[in-house]
Amino acid sequence: MIIKKSLLFFSILLVLYCFLCFILPRSLISNLEPGGYGHSFARFREINAYKNIDILFLGGSRCYRGFDPRIFNAAGISVFNLGSTAQSPLNSYYLLQEYLDGLNPKMVVMEVCLESLSLDGVESFLDIAVNHKITKNIALMGLALNNFHSLNTLPSEYLKRLLWRPLTQNIQKEILNDRYIPRGYVEMDRISLDKSCFKNYEFIIEKRQLRYLRNIIELVQRQGKTIVLITIPVPKKRWDTISDYQKVVRFCNAMAKKYNIRYHNFNPQVFLDDVKDFKDAGHLNSSGVKKFNEEFIKINKLN
Amino acid sequence: MLFTTFYFLVFFISVCFLYFFLPHRWRWLVLLLASYYFYACVQVYYVGLLIFVSLVGYFTTILMDREQETSRKKIYLLLSIFLNIGILFFFKYFNFFSASISGPIAGFFNIAIPVINLNLILPIGLSFYVFQALSYSIDVYWGKKTPERHFGIFSLYISFFPQLLAGPIERSTHLLPQFFQKHNFDHLRVKKGLLLILWGFFKKLVIADRLALIINQVYHNPESYSGISLLMASFFYAFQLYCDFSGYSDIAIGTARVLGFDLIKNFNLPYFASSLSKFWQRWHISLSSWLMDYVYTPLVISKRNWGKFAVIYGIFVALILCGLWHGANWTFVVFGFLHALALTVEFLTKNIRKKLSRFIPYSFYKSGGIIFTFCFFCFTLIFFRSDSIYQAGYIIKHILSHCNPNLFIAEVLNIWGIQKIGLSMFLILFLIIVELLQYIKCISVDWLSEQSILLRWSVYYFLILSIIFFQVHDSTKFIYFNY
């Protein structure tokens, strides 16, 4: 009797769930609209057009706002920025599983920062789930997060597209002051440094993210490609204020030694101006990106 | 392993299955191993600390019981208090006191004193299980409880996983005997427990986390917002804190109920309290009753020859300790101080208010009391939520002086969106209506279990689907894990 009742209960729940997926407006129930703030929709729509690139950049918003493909193109280097909002190593690993063979880069540059190592990866997954096909790797990413939010986003996104609006019908929404540049770069000119940028926060690095970072290094090396770890520049004042940044530097140096790979920490840096070259405490603006990318090309002897 | 993870669901189902499947004599072992595993998943290094607290509580009370003389018993009690409070001080308060003392001393003597800073992560749940262990030692000393001889059961009392991380702080006289009782699978009890868990998840994931999106944004950078936005964030915070903490408590109580255990109710509609003294009988009941029984009452009794001043003294010590229990920051001390001040005023004006109430219709008097108590609590929560006294002062000053409606409208339209604010207000209103119905005794978990299947299942579907569709991801960590 209890089993029959339970089966009936869950059957009705499933029907109601599908019905609500159909009728509830997306804006009311999704944290993120297709597109999101990082132009993920535009990025994932064009990625399959690129093959055999020179450098693949992996990371969160600092990454896709930090590497301008036009500057690299001028130096004869083809690149792609594979990032999403608040992307952590966990998210990067599954995206790499999805696209490493297709893009076939000679070098993978993995952006490592304190903030991304302290994330659980759910925000990035939500950004990816609403802007990408639900493939095996995206589903595995959702399951790996071990979070109710990601677990119910997977079927609900799948059902929404099946019943209501396929992904192909969406368009990338325009975001004020941001411009999407092909090959995954998001350009912006805003400057909005505020006092909160320079408070000392305590960060707790997730062990799981460190594990996925190791997985990324091993995956890339198994494919016979070069991997470089980098920490993108932040304002000097922020680097000096947040003491936990040193934990990441120590960890990356240890990884570099263990796997015999290069690690470049661009902090504290001398070639950028805290006021003129940064949009906020974590992101370069277009002026800063130009200087940083030229420095990156010089250090890696890519020219 | 947080309650809001898939791992916890698998863990809990496995524990329930093993618990009800095994004979009664082995069930304590299942729960103990599950509790240690649960804590190890959160912070593996501090399982040793949990075992240490259990050892201290167990052996000091056994030795206490062997002594006949009170003075010798007191030695073991003081040892237990010293070790437990010592652990709490070391992990939670050392840096705070180090910085607080060296600064003024260095300033007074005009010398440089290095601030010693221990770079330690606060063990989650420490404040809760230390207080639980302390209450046991004190109860044994007072003769209220005979010491527990079974070390395994006693360790389970300290580490019982539903209430390990954020309470309720249980009493040995209430929880310990339950571990010796046989609990059979009871369909009705399990249903009530699951309903409570569902309601807890709804409050946490749908209401608290949604409000947190706005509150965190404002409190992260209060200089960028108008006075009305600051006021709105402070008002929302009262509901975020309540839904987050009472949500956790409901999940903890519901989880224990499924297994057959009855935990202390931790919240009893606190925002319907018509005075501050009644508020503290309804908010975080396990902590306020702990402070009442082990701090306030002994202090007042020991200083009873001071008359009214004994009561005032007890109020201030208990409430400041209450503030400090929440965190190592002067903002929490101010929070406790303000409540102590208000309770003292309430105590001293009791007779005057009683006389006044005869001239005012009862409903107005009570409603006024409820509104005033809530507003006062919201005000003190500005200190509770702020990073520093300076930030709290800034927020209060701007609420009073920068209330520009046009700025607020611009912020609603450009920063948050009408939908976000509207949904947040709707959820608060929904919560108030549900709690009002509970207040006038129209609804409760027991009441719902007696209703028709149509009504019951409608409520279940509403809660489950709301959690699925309206839960917010920003932070799934419970606020009280920080304490």
Side-chain angles (χ1 to χ4, degrees):
Chain A
M1 182 65 181
I2 292 174
I3 295 171
K4 272 188 190 166
K5 254 186 169 178
S6 302
L7 279 170
L8 178 63
F9 179 83
F10 285 108
S11 303
I12 297 173
L13 181 64
L14 191 61
V15 168
L16 284 172
Y17 176 77
C18 294
F19 177 67
L20 285 171
C21 277
F22 185 69
I23 65 159
L24 280 176
R26 196 188 269 273
S27 59
L28 195 60
I29 58 176
S30 276
N31 286 339
L32 295 164
E33 284 283 333
Y37 291 106
H39 291 261
S40 296
F41 185 71
R43 188 175 294 108
F44 292 129
R45 202 168 46 181
E46 64 157 352
I47 191 171
N48 288 321
Y50 302 103
K51 293 189 188 320
N52 304 320
I53 59 174
D54 293 316
I55 304 176
L56 172 64
F57 295 110
L58 263 181
S61 52
R62 285 186 191 179
C63 191
Y64 65 70
R65 291 178 190 275
F67 293 101
D68 188 339
R70 295 169 298 189
I71 297 171
F72 286 87
N73 192 47
I77 306 161
S78 61
V79 306
F80 193 89
N81 263 308
L82 182 54
S84 57
T85 306
Q87 186 163 305
S88 69
L90 185 154
N91 310 105
S92 297
Y93 175 74
Y94 288 101
L95 283 175
L96 206 55
Q97 292 272 37
E98 183 79 17
Y99 291 110
L100 189 61
D101 288 340
L103 290 168
N104 193 28
K106 293 186 184 113
M107 183 196 285
V108 173
V109 174
M110 175 75 200
E111 183 253 332
V112 185
C113 66
L114 179 64
E115 289 83 352
S116 65
L117 291 178
S118 310
L119 295 167
D120 57 14
V122 176
E123 189 176 342
S124 168
F125 172 73
L126 295 179
D127 185 21
I128 294 166
V130 296
N131 293 302
H132 193 286
K133 266 169 46 180
I134 306 298
T135 61
K136 178 189 143 200
N137 287 309
I138 304 305
L140 286 172
M141 188 196 298
L143 292 169
L145 284 165
N146 179 29
N147 179 281
F148 277 132
H149 205 69
S150 63
L151 283 173
N152 75 59
T153 297
L154 267 173
S156 74
E157 276 302 313
Y158 187 78
L159 273 169
K160 270 176 225 164
R161 288 173 209 175
L162 200 64
L163 302 172
W164 182 41
R165 189 173 172 165
L167 199 61
T168 47
Q169 284 185 18
N170 289 320
I171 53 168
Q172 173 65 57
K173 81 175 173 202
E174 292 299 312
I175 296 152
L176 198 62
N177 296 326
D178 280 356
R179 290 177 293 282
Y180 182 75
I181 307 296
R183 290 181 180 264
Y185 172 56
V186 178
E187 184 178 51
M188 60 187 164
D189 292 315
R190 281 173 293 165
I191 296 170
S192 58
L193 286 170
D194 59 47
K195 285 184 199 168
S196 66
C197 301
F198 306 113
K199 284 183 189 171
N200 188 15
Y201 296 103
E202 195 186 317
F203 291 84
I204 297 171
I205 294 177
E206 286 224 3
K207 286 205 174 79
R208 184 173 57 166
Q209 299 300 349
L210 300 180
R211 199 172 68 239
Y212 273 99
L213 188 58
R214 287 190 199 98
N215 291 347
I216 288 169
I217 297 170
E218 287 165 8
L219 171 65
V220 172
Q221 287 188 326
R222 267 202 307 274
Q223 301 253 3
K225 301 176 194 309
T226 308
I227 180 162
V228 175
L229 301 181
I230 65 159
T231 299
I232 287 176
V234 297
K236 276 188 282 293
K237 196 173 172 189
R238 182 168 170 90
W239 184 261
D240 292 337
T241 308
I242 297 184
S243 48
D244 283 347
Y245 276 143
Q246 300 307 319
K247 287 183 196 170
V248 176
V249 174
R250 281 196 295 273
F251 175 77
C252 288
N253 280 325
M255 284 290 107
K257 198 174 170 185
K258 181 180 175 184
Y259 291 100
N260 195 26
I261 59 177
R262 290 201 310 274
Y263 167 57
H264 295 304
N265 175 20
F266 286 90
N267 298 283
Q269 37 70 19
V270 295
F271 57 91
L272 295 167
D273 183 288
D274 275 7
V275 174
K276 291 179 190 161
D277 295 327
F278 288 91
K279 172 252 177 188
D280 59 29
H283 304 95
L284 296 158
N285 59 19
S286 50
S287 160
V289 166
K290 185 173 186 300
K291 293 179 191 172
F292 167 55
N293 288 182
E294 285 166 357
E295 183 72 14
F296 179 88
I297 291 169
K298 195 172 80 182
I299 284 177
N300 285 281
K301 299 185 179 100
L302 297 172
N303 48 6
Chain B
M1 194 196 307
L2 298 177
F3 280 165
T4 51
T5 62
F6 185 67
Y7 280 152
F8 178 74
L9 185 66
V10 173
F11 165 81
F12 181 52
I13 291 171
S14 310
V15 169
C16 284
F17 181 75
L18 270 171
Y19 180 78
F20 290 115
F21 180 73
L22 285 174
H24 171 64
R25 67 176 186 275
W26 295 117
R27 287 180 178 178
W28 68 270
L29 188 60
V30 167
L31 290 179
L32 182 64
L33 292 173
S35 299
Y36 280 140
Y37 174 74
F38 179 78
Y39 200 60
C41 288
V42 177
Q43 282 176 327
V44 65
Y45 305 112
Y46 292 134
V47 172
L49 201 59
L50 197 54
I51 296 170
F52 178 75
V53 169
S54 303
L55 286 166
V56 166
Y58 180 78
F59 284 110
T60 52
T61 51
I62 296 283
L63 291 167
M64 213 189 288
D65 190 53
R66 284 185 189 167
E67 298 295 334
Q68 300 300 323
E69 289 176 37
T70 312
S71 57
R72 283 182 172 272
K73 282 179 189 278
K74 204 167 192 173
I75 292 170
Y76 291 114
L77 174 68
L78 288 172
L79 180 65
S80 174
I81 292 173
F82 175 75
L83 288 171
N84 281 302
I85 299 292
I87 290 166
L88 202 54
F89 180 82
F90 181 73
F91 283 98
K92 194 169 173 178
Y93 298 107
F94 183 90
N95 293 343
F96 168 66
F97 281 104
S98 169
S100 301
I101 291 168
S102 354
I105 291 176
F108 185 77
F109 291 106
N110 203 23
I111 51 171
I113 299 179
V115 176
I116 304 167
N117 215 21
L118 299 176
N119 205 14
L120 297 168
I121 297 172
L122 175 66
I124 294 179
L126 182 69
S127 305
F128 292 91
Y129 61 78
V130 158
F131 267 43
Q132 192 155 306
L134 274 174
S135 79
Y136 169 75
S137 299
I138 297 169
D139 281 347
V140 170
Y141 175 75
W142 282 345
K144 279 186 181 177
K145 176 92 188 66
T146 53
E148 179 51 56
R149 304 278 165 185
H150 193 312
F151 180 66
I153 299 278
F154 178 74
S155 301
L156 180 57
Y157 160 73
I158 298 291
S159 62
F160 189 40
F161 74 87
Q163 40 100 227
L164 175 61
L165 301 183
I169 303 169
E170 271 291 340
R171 301 297 180 90
S172 56
T173 45
H174 183 246
L175 183 59
L176 259 173
Q178 293 185 61
F179 293 125
F180 292 97
Q181 294 161 7
K182 189 177 178 184
H183 304 114
N184 293 321
F185 183 88
D186 180 339
H187 177 243
L188 187 62
R189 191 195 69 228
V190 167
K191 244 183 10 186
K192 287 181 187 177
L194 290 174
L195 177 59
L196 210 48
I197 292 171
L198 208 53
W199 178 235
F201 274 121
F202 178 83
K203 282 196 284 189
K204 162 63 182 165
L205 298 175
V206 178
I207 304 180
D209 285 356
R210 186 167 292 276
L211 295 176
L213 292 175
I214 298 168
I215 296 159
N216 291 345
Q217 203 174 349
V218 172
Y219 271 83
H220 183 66
N221 198 13
E223 295 88 357
S224 303
Y225 295 94
S226 66
I228 299 180
S229 291
L230 295 172
L231 183 66
M232 182 187 72
S234 305
F235 169 77
F236 279 3
Y237 184 62
F239 290 97
Q240 184 211 349
L241 185 68
Y242 173 64
C243 287
D244 193 286
F245 193 22
S246 70
Y248 176 90
S249 296
D250 285 341
I251 296 169
I253 294 166
T255 304
R257 192 173 288 186
V258 168
L259 293 166
F261 296 93
D262 177 43
L263 296 182
I264 297 172
K265 194 172 180 179
N266 219 8
F267 291 86
N268 185 18
L269 310 172
Y271 292 157
F272 287 94
S274 53
S275 67
L276 208 53
S277 50
K278 286 182 183 145
F279 176 84
W280 281 105
Q281 290 165 27
R282 292 165 176 258
W283 176 275
H284 200 175
I285 297 167
S286 62
L287 176 67
S288 55
S289 63
W290 195 102
L291 289 166
M292 167 74 98
D293 292 345
Y294 299 111
V295 176
Y296 172 79
T297 306
L299 274 175
V300 171
I301 291 173
S302 68
K303 304 285 177 206
R304 58 189 176 277
N305 52 329
W306 289 2
K308 276 186 183 173
F309 292 105
V311 171
I312 297 169
Y313 172 63
I315 288 171
F316 270 88
V317 172
L319 267 299
I320 288 174
L321 273 178
C322 175
L324 210 46
W325 177 90
H326 285 88
N329 195 323
W330 286 107
T331 52
F332 296 112
V333 176
V334 170
F335 169 81
F337 179 81
L338 287 171
H339 276 270
L341 201 59
L343 275 169
T344 303
V345 168
E346 241 184 48
F347 168 68
L348 294 172
T349 59
K350 193 175 174 182
N351 292 332
I352 300 167
R353 284 184 294 112
K354 206 171 177 180
K355 282 176 190 166
L356 262 174
S357 67
R358 289 190 202 128
F359 299 102
I360 304 169
Y362 177 71
S363 52
F364 278 122
Y365 183 78
K366 189 146 189 193
S367 311
I370 290 172
I371 293 167
F372 178 80
T373 305
F374 175 73
C375 290
F376 177 78
F377 186 61
C378 282
F379 167 72
T380 60
L381 282 184
I382 295 174
F383 290 91
F384 195 89
R385 179 60 180 82
S386 299
D387 293 332
S388 65
I389 304 272
Y390 171 77
Q391 189 187 57
Y394 178 91
I395 289 170
I396 293 166
K397 187 180 158 196
H398 271 69
I399 286 172
L400 295 172
S401 61
H402 283 70
C403 281
N404 186 339
N406 295 328
L407 261 177
F408 175 66
I409 291 165
E411 280 161 2
V412 167
L413 290 172
N414 301 325
I415 300 173
W416 299 304
I418 295 172
Q419 205 174 62
K420 207 175 189 175
I421 300 289
L423 189 54
S424 302
M425 300 286 275
F426 170 77
L427 288 167
I428 289 173
L429 188 63
F430 174 78
L431 177 77
I432 291 171
I433 291 170
V434 169
E435 300 240 315
L436 184 63
L437 290 171
Q438 286 180 293
Y439 181 67
I440 58 177
K441 310 254 189 281
C442 276
I443 61 170
S444 66
V445 169
D446 292 326
W447 169 85
L448 187 65
S449 62
E450 290 159 12
Q451 303 309 304
S452 67
I453 194 169
L454 181 66
L455 180 61
R456 280 189 287 115
W457 281 24
S458 301
V459 170
Y460 302 155
Y461 287 137
F462 170 76
L463 290 175
I464 294 170
L465 292 168
S466 296
I467 291 166
I468 288 172
F469 287 106
F470 293 104
Q471 68 163 294
V472 166
H473 170 263
D474 193 13
S475 168
T476 50
K477 193 177 163 192
F478 290 91
I479 294 173
Y480 264 70
F481 281 9
N482 298 322
Y483 311 136

